[in-house]
Amino acid sequence: MSIRHPAVNAGNPSNGFQEWEIIPVYFHGFRGLDTSRGNIVKSPEFTCFGLQWSLMIYPGGKGTSDEGMVSVYLSNMSDENIEVAYGFTVKKSDGRDVADCDGKITKNQFAPSSWGRKNFAKLSDITSALVAGALVIEVRMRHTDSTPHATVPFIPENPCSKMILKMFMDKESADVVLEVKDGDQQVRNTRKRTSTSLVKFYAHR
C-alpha cells in the first residue's frame, strides 16, 4: 500500500488553480469476484468536497458492455449536486497505465447518480495489474465552476504619492512656507474676538 504526501508547489499557483484530489480505492481479492455480466461490487463510501461518494465496478461488465470488459462508475451518494472533473486510473507495479479515463459531472445531473465507463478496460489487463491480489483504482476529482468571476482591475502603484507624503512638512528641504493666521470668528451675527495663532506649512514647488 502506497503512502501519499501533500503536493509541493514551486512558485505561486495561478488564479483558479485547483489540485486534483486523488483517492486510491482497493478491491481486495479481485480474482475471486463474480465475473457474471451485470454483477456489481461497491466500495465503502468516502468523502470528497464535503460529499459522500462510492466507486462501483462490474468485473464482468454491465449489460451493454463489450465481452471481456470491466465497467467502472463513480457514484455521488449525497443529495447535493456538484460540478467536478473526474478520472480513473489503474497502474502496473512499474507505474505504467493499464487503463485511464476522464469525465465531467455537471450540476444539472441530479444526485444520486453515477458516471463512468461501461468499457473501462479488458479484464485480462486489469488482472495483470493487481497489487497483492487487489485491484487499485486511483479516483481523481477536481472541483470546477463554470460561473465567471469578476476580474479585479490592476492599478499600478504611484511612487510620487509616497514621495509627496515624505516631503510634506519637511522643514529642512521646503522652499515654500505657508503661514495661516487664526483670527476673528463670527458667532450668531456678533463678532467674537479670539486669540490669534500662527500655523506654518512647509511645502515644495
Side-chain angles (χ1 to χ4, degrees):
M1 184 179 296
S2 60
I3 299 176
R4 294 193 173 273
H5 296 275
V8 178
N9 292 298
N12 296 322
S14 59
N15 290 335
F17 174 79
Q18 290 282 342
E19 290 185 2
W20 286 96
E21 297 286 339
I22 300 179
I23 305 99
V25 181
Y26 291 76
F27 292 91
H28 296 281
F30 181 80
R31 291 183 186 274
L33 298 180
D34 185 358
T35 57
S36 300
R37 185 180 293 271
N39 180 59
I40 183 173
V41 180
K42 295 183 179 181
S43 76
E45 293 185 11
F46 56 90
T47 303
C48 189
F49 304 124
L51 304 182
Q52 295 299 113
W53 304 84
S54 177
L55 189 67
M56 304 181 297
I57 64 171
Y58 297 78
K62 291 188 71 175
T64 56
S65 300
D66 294 342
E67 187 67 31
M69 299 298 289
V70 177
S71 306
V72 180
Y73 288 85
L74 177 66
S75 181
N76 179 4
M77 308 302 291
S78 303
D79 294 331
E80 182 179 347
N81 298 334
I82 190 172
E83 186 171 297
V84 297
Y86 72 89
F88 312 134
T89 302
V90 175
K91 298 178 181 291
K92 284 191 173 183
S93 57
D94 60 4
R96 290 183 299 167
D97 289 355
V98 171
D100 184 85
C101 76
D102 292 288
K104 187 175 182 180
I105 301 172
T106 59
K107 287 183 179 179
N108 62 352
Q109 293 172 305
F110 295 100
S113 296
S114 300
W115 302 265
R117 295 290 186 275
K118 65 177 182 179
N119 295 317
F120 174 65
K122 291 182 179 180
L123 178 60
S124 57
D125 292 339
I126 291 292
T127 53
S128 69
L130 299 182
V131 178
L135 168 61
V136 184
I137 301 179
E138 288 188 350
V139 180
R140 60 183 178 273
M141 302 172 67
R142 183 172 63 186
H143 189 270
T144 58
D145 187 357
S146 58
T147 303
H149 297 279
T151 57
V152 179
F154 172 71
I155 302 176
E157 184 177 354
N158 187 353
C160 294
S161 59
K162 289 185 177 180
M163 186 181 301
I164 293 173
L165 289 174
K166 184 177 180 181
M167 297 177 66
F168 181 65
M169 294 300 288
D170 187 350
K171 184 177 181 180
E172 300 298 328
S173 63
D175 55 4
V176 176
V177 179
L178 303 177
E179 295 183 350
V180 179
K181 184 180 295 186
D182 184 15
D184 296 341
Q185 179 181 8
Q186 187 74 22
V187 180
R188 291 184 182 178
N189 298 324
T190 61
R191 187 167 297 278
K192 177 182 178 183
R193 176 67 60 182
T194 60
S195 59
T196 302
S197 60
L198 186 66
V199 180
K200 293 184 178 181
F201 294 93
Y202 301 93
H204 301 76
R205 289 191 179 92

